Each structure stands twice: as C-alpha cells, then as structure tokens.
Amino acid sequence: MSENLFTDLRTIVLDTVTSLYPDLGAEHLARIEITPTREAAHGDVATNAALIAAKPLGKKPREIADALAARLLTRADIAKAEPAGPGFVNLTLDARVWQAQLPTILRTGEAFGASTLGQGARVNVEYVSANPTGPIHVGHTRGTVVGDALANLLEKIGYRVTREFYMNDSGAQVIALAWSVYWRYLQALGTTMTEADFAAATPTGLQYGGNYLVPLGAELATTHGTDLAGQGLTVAAPDLWLQTVRDFAVAAMMTLIRDDLAALNVHHEIFASEGALIADGKIERALATLDAAGLLYEGVLEPPKGKTPDDWEPREQTLFRSTDFGDDVDRPVRKSDGSNTYFANDIAYHADKIARGYDLLIDVLGADHGGHIKRMQAAVLALRGNSKATLEIVLCQIVRILKGGQPMRMSKRAGTYIALRDLIDEVGPDVVRFIMLMRKSDAQMEFDLDAAVAQTRENPVFYVQYAHARCRSVLRAAATMPELGDVSDPSLATTDLASLTAPEELALIRRLAAWPRLIESAALAREPHRIGFFLYDLAGDFHALWNAGRAETTLRFIQTEAPDATRARLALVAATAVVIRSGLAVMGVAPVEEMR
C-alpha cells in the first residue's frame, strides 16, 4: 500500500471490476468511489462500484455487488466483503493493513498527506486586499485566515502557489486618508483649528479619526516642519501637500498592515498596486483588448430590480458584453462622463494576473462581493486568449466578536471598529486562525473570546492542542525508560505492530490513514475548514483511547511489563502527533509541547 490508502483501495476495486466486466467504459469507472463508512458495524470502507456499473451493464446492482464481494474476498488484505443496501459493497480490511499505515506516517513525517495532484500548476491566491486606510480589522480577518490556509492546502497537494495582496491605493478613500493624516499633521504643529473647522474644509469631511494616525502626523511635522501648512497653521492649498501626504500615508498604512499580517503569521509574496496599474496604462490596454474583440459597446442598461447598484446610470455608457460569457447582464466599464468604473480597474488587474502566467486565479472576498462573481469570471474568460486560466471566488461571511456574551464594537486603536491586533492581543494568533477555520467560509459565525480561551472540549483549539501535548508527554516519558530502547520516529517505524488490534486503536489508525484523502478533498473543494473538523475528530479518537487506558491496562500507552507492546503503542502515539502537526501546519497554527 502507498501513502494514500484510499487511492490504493480504489485501484484494487477498479482492477477487480475490470477483470469481472471488461466492457465497462472508462467514463463509468471514473465515477467509482471508495469512502469511509459512517459506522464501524458496516466495515471500514464502502464502494459504489455495483451501483455505477449496473445500468451500463444491464444488470441488477445486487448481482454485481455479490460478484464483486466474492472476488474481493479472495484478497489477503480484505477480511470481509459484504454487499449492502441497494448495491454497495462494505469492506473490512485485515488489521495488518491498518497497522502498516503507522510506519508510513512515521517515515514520511509532517509531509504525510502531501501529493502531486496539482501537478505543479501555478495558482494565484489573492486575499486580504484591504484598503490601505488603517489597521486590518476583523471584517478582513476571516478572509485573511481562509486565504492563507487555502494557499497552504493547495501547496500541500502539489500546486505552485503565489500569495497576493491587492492594494486599492487610488481613488477617493486614499484621498480621504491623506486629509485625515494632514489633520494630525496640523495638530502636531499646534494648529488652533477645531476638528469641525477642519472637517468643513475637506472635500468629504474627516473620515478616519483613529489614534493610529497620530504618529503619522507627528512624523510629517518632524520631517517637513510647517512647509506643508497654510498661513497660521491652517489648511494649505492641496497642490502643496496632497500628493506628498497621500504617498506617505499609503506607505505607512501598508507597513502597519504588513505588521498586522505578520502577527497572524501571514506573509504575501506580491503586493500589487491599483495605482501602478493606472499609471502604467494597463486599464486602457485591457479595455482596448476587449474593444478589439468586439466586446465593448455604447448602450443603456435596463433599470435594475430592487436595490440600484453604484455602477448603474440611466444614460449611455460603455458596456462589456459579459452576457456572452454567462453573466446575467452586460456591465459598464466606463461611466457616461468617460471615467472608468471600479469594474474596469478589476478587469485590468485580472488581465495582469493572466499575463503573469497563472493557470488558476482564486480571489478570497467578503460575502458582500457575491454580485461580482459572474462579471469577473466573464472578464477572465474574455481576456485569457490562449491561456487556460480560470477564476474562482471564495466568499467569506462576516464574523461577530463576542466578549462576556456581548458583541464587541469598538477598537482600542482604530476607534470605530475592532482591529485584528485587538483580537490577537486577546487570544493569540493561533487561536484566531483555528477558530476562523471552524466554520465553512460562507457561513456566518460568532467568535466568542471567552470560549476561545476556555480549557474544555467545546474549545476546539484547546482540544486539539491538548491531544498533541499528551502525545508529546507520553513520548518524553518513554524516552527516560532505557528498557524501551530508541523511541524516535524512525526507530518506532520498525516496531512490530501486531499487538495493535483493539477497536479503539484501529479506529485511531483509520482516522490517521484518512488524512491524505481529506487533504485532497478539502483542497479540491477549496474548503480549508475541513482540516479543523478533521483534527477535532482525530483529537477525540486519541482522547477516547487515552481514557480507555485508564480502565483497561492493556490499552495503556506505556506498559512497563510489556516493552514490545509499549513500543507498538508509542508508534501509534507518535504517528498521531505527526498527523496533528501536519494538519496544524496547513492551518498555520503552531503545535504545543505541553499545556500550561
């Protein structure tokens, strides 16, 4: 058997089906699956082969199931093969098959579960992409964690992944940021203007009032003195200071954002700039490409039903024929005044990613961007040319932060929202990452700060970390016992495991063996939350075996009177620790050696 037991079992079933029914076509063979059974009484795994083969062969599913079970039962590695239900075959494997998984895990280490399924295809995962106007807030935190874990997951199965952050560093919001920083600059100089007076002098009012801008104002005052201020330390003409302050503010905010992300163990390879796209003329070139292909035209859209979107105007605009690529309506890329829409900028950004040679683009966005999916996928299809690039979008719902049973609403730093750093300060980065991955990304969730630090089974972070700490505790104790010999992973991989036959032990091994299958399915579904669920269930199996050993001495991990049996159980403990670490690495969470 190879590292992925389920792949091996599927090959066995396919070979058996083919030998019995050589006329069954490849398209039907491709639909045959091997899945874990939900109940131990139904065996270890089940196959749907008889159900798949029945119709094309013109036979009853049960007839095929009987024949398949009889043939599979002749194999030494299959202890039972039983037809079940309308045409399934339940298989119980010989205990030696399960025991053989432990040496594979111990020799492979934390790389266990890795595969070449992605075949080295290049993937760009874009996530976070917050406006550079302040600290990362909890509204972006879930997408940050999901995107980072998804990137890890795709790398685990053989994709070449680039992690990218898109800076929305042009437009009205960064202009508003510049004005807000300028206010802090005037304050640092000692202006007598009131905040109300200053807000009245700005184009859109004072939008960013968080204390995180105070140091920026002080730095500007130190660097430029009064050179950027007007007479009497009032507002000078924007031509004098706006570009300088804007560039300084964006750079400072990106430093702050990078620091916030690093505190969560998130590191991007590329920080792409919207402003650079505009300055390099890439937006106009992307639109020219669409126009040359006959995909732009001047037209008036029908009034939308329900809420009116920002990009709708009751007058002629330049429209992209996105309906040619599956969208519901054509989309405006230029407004009636000739200026580009935000969608035009997004088109150019994705055209740039296609030009960089990625096979797959994945955007991790907030759930409020659901309406952008079809139009962006249409744009990628229209622009990819000879490339096979496709776009997938993963949506993340909002998270409510609770403390003391009540929603948290205010940040210590930003003043108007909860900053990521506040969350990390409360519970630590590992807890933030793990909890954010315990629900499917498009489902709403509550992050209870009190529950996140509780040392109970209901706290998944504690429950999984405790399982790993228990594993390490057992192995440390064993290392002090000379009669057990070398208890390193390579040495334990050579141990006789025949004594591991108890149902609780085999259940734990079955869970460990399912890790490669789980990794692949989670990656293909773009659902990193499945890793958290798996680790929680794995921890439950381990804790159950630990507790069983209290009542039944033969199940205890260390049995001083039986060194050979002890080494076999140490191999099981060490393999459990390996898989937990492998899973935590995908989640971006550090394992702990002991609980404090």
Side-chain angles (χ1 to χ4, degrees):
M1 295 289 179
S2 72
E3 187 174 317
N4 193 329
L5 176 62
F6 286 85
T7 297
D8 293 338
L9 291 173
R10 183 173 182 272
T11 299
I12 289 170
V13 170
L14 290 178
D15 289 346
T16 305
V17 170
T18 302
S19 69
L20 287 170
Y21 308 105
D23 295 333
L24 188 63
E27 71 276 16
H28 303 296
L29 292 172
R31 296 168 53 204
I32 291 177
E33 298 178 344
I34 291 287
T35 56
T37 57
R38 295 184 178 181
E39 298 180 21
H42 295 161
D44 297 326
V45 298
T47 179
N48 63 346
L51 287 173
I52 297 299
K55 186 173 181 180
L57 293 176
K59 296 178 180 292
K60 293 181 179 180
R62 186 63 184 231
E63 177 186 348
I64 298 175
D66 287 339
L68 181 58
R71 181 66 64 87
L72 288 170
L73 198 52
T74 63
R75 295 183 57 90
D77 46 10
I78 295 178
K80 292 181 182 178
E82 301 172 322
F88 288 96
V89 177
N90 294 336
L91 304 176
T92 300
L93 306 183
D94 187 272
R96 289 170 296 181
V97 175
W98 295 116
Q99 293 160 1
Q101 296 302 297
L102 299 185
T104 299
I105 296 170
L106 293 173
R107 292 188 181 106
T108 309
E110 292 169 36
F112 180 65
S115 74
T116 59
L117 188 66
Q119 298 182 327
R122 296 187 63 203
V123 182
N124 180 292
V125 184
E126 181 217 328
Y127 56 106
V128 189
S129 298
N131 292 324
T133 55
I136 296 289
H137 59 78
V138 293
H140 289 104
T141 301
R142 193 176 190 186
T144 299
V145 173
V146 168
D148 205 51
L150 179 56
N152 295 340
L153 191 54
L154 292 170
E155 280 185 333
K156 186 83 170 178
I157 66 165
Y159 286 93
R160 289 185 293 160
V161 179
T162 298
R163 296 160 176 82
E164 184 154 324
F165 183 117
Y166 181 48
M167 298 183 292
N168 301 110
D169 54 357
S170 67
Q173 287 182 308
V174 293
I175 296 300
L177 172 68
W179 278 93
S180 299
V181 172
Y182 187 66
W183 166 238
R184 296 301 190 180
Y185 160 72
L186 293 179
Q187 282 186 314
L189 292 176
T191 182
T192 58
M193 292 184 72
T194 66
E195 185 173 310
D197 290 340
F198 180 83
T202 69
T204 57
L206 190 60
Q207 292 191 23
Y208 302 103
N211 290 333
Y212 64 93
L213 297 181
V214 172
L216 274 65
E219 186 174 344
L220 281 172
T222 299
T223 303
H224 297 280
T226 61
D227 293 348
L228 305 180
Q231 188 174 7
L233 302 182
T234 57
V235 178
D239 288 348
L240 174 69
W241 60 267
L242 184 58
Q243 189 65 40
T244 298
V245 174
R246 175 193 171 281
D247 292 347
F248 166 77
V250 169
M253 287 302 97
M254 286 309 303
T255 297
L256 180 63
I257 286 170
R258 283 186 175 94
D259 289 345
D260 285 348
L261 294 175
L264 196 59
N265 194 27
V266 174
H267 305 277
H268 293 81
E269 287 90 10
I270 293 177
F271 286 82
S273 165
E274 181 183 34
L277 285 176
I278 295 171
D280 293 344
K282 291 183 178 180
I283 296 173
E284 297 310 316
R285 288 201 293 276
L287 295 183
T289 298
L290 294 177
D291 195 25
L295 295 174
L296 298 185
Y297 69 99
E298 301 301 315
V300 179
L301 291 174
E302 292 291 324
K305 296 179 181 179
K307 184 179 179 180
T308 302
D310 294 336
D311 59 3
W312 182 80
E313 292 185 61
R315 55 179 66 89
E316 191 172 81
Q317 300 173 268
T318 303
L319 305 176
F320 163 52
R321 299 184 188 276
S322 55
T323 51
D324 288 1
F325 303 92
D327 199 1
D328 300 324
V329 296
D330 291 340
R331 304 291 180 174
V333 294
R334 287 197 186 97
K335 302 175 186 178
S336 57
D337 63 4
S339 62
N340 293 330
T341 64
Y342 288 120
F343 179 44
N345 293 10
D346 287 340
I347 288 174
Y349 174 47
H350 286 78
D352 183 67
K353 287 198 277 191
I354 293 169
R356 285 186 261 145
Y358 295 108
D359 303 297
L360 174 63
L361 313 178
I362 299 178
D363 294 352
V364 181
L365 305 174
D368 56 331
H369 288 77
H372 294 246
I373 296 177
K374 287 186 177 179
R375 70 183 70 178
M376 283 315 313
Q377 289 177 331
V380 168
L381 290 173
L383 287 164
R384 67 182 183 176
N386 294 327
S387 163
K388 297 296 183 182
T390 57
L391 170 66
E392 297 179 12
I393 293 179
V394 176
L395 296 179
C396 294
Q397 277 285 0
I398 61 171
V399 178
R400 287 205 321 155
I401 309 298
L402 303 180
K403 186 174 184 180
Q406 299 298 317
M408 285 183 64
R409 303 185 185 281
M410 201 66 72
S411 169
K412 300 170 187 174
R413 295 171 176 81
T416 55
Y417 55 78
I418 308 167
L420 167 61
R421 281 298 184 99
D422 295 333
L423 198 56
I424 292 175
D425 289 348
E426 287 279 348
V427 298
D430 288 339
V431 173
V432 171
R433 292 186 68 118
F434 201 110
I435 296 294
M436 289 289 179
L437 290 170
M438 282 305 292
R439 292 289 300 275
K440 191 175 180 181
S441 66
D442 60 0
Q444 293 188 5
M445 72 175 296
E446 291 183 341
F447 191 117
D448 190 322
L449 293 173
D450 300 318
V453 296
Q455 296 191 354
T456 67
R457 176 172 181 161
E458 284 66 41
N459 178 358
V461 190
F462 169 79
Y463 198 58
V464 172
Q465 295 281 37
Y466 191 29
H468 184 266
R470 274 181 158 176
C471 290
R472 299 299 299 155
S473 174
V474 170
L475 295 169
R476 283 195 300 271
T480 67
M481 303 171 66
E483 65 271 25
L484 295 178
D486 183 2
V487 293
S488 66
D489 287 4
S491 177
L492 292 174
T494 66
T495 295
D496 182 359
L497 304 172
S499 61
L500 296 176
T501 57
E504 297 91 341
E505 294 166 339
L506 294 176
L508 179 54
I509 298 175
R510 280 195 291 270
R511 185 79 67 186
L512 298 174
W515 174 234
R517 177 180 182 272
L518 186 280
I519 276 283
E520 289 190 353
S521 64
L524 293 175
R526 317 298 189 228
E527 293 184 347
H529 73 280
R530 295 189 189 185
I531 308 303
F533 290 169
F534 173 86
L535 291 179
Y536 186 81
D537 290 339
L538 173 58
D541 289 339
F542 178 78
H543 290 309
L545 181 54
W546 176 288
N547 293 329
R550 292 179 175 178
E552 177 55 59
T553 57
T554 60
L555 294 178
R556 291 177 183 171
F557 298 130
I558 296 180
Q559 302 170 26
T560 55
E561 72 288 353
D564 290 341
T566 295
R567 284 182 60 83
R569 280 150 188 82
L570 292 178
L572 176 56
V573 171
T576 300
V578 166
V579 174
I580 290 176
R581 289 197 298 273
S582 181
L584 291 176
V586 172
M587 298 178 79
V589 175
V592 297
E593 290 292 305
E594 55 186 333
M595 303 301 289
R596 292 185 174 88

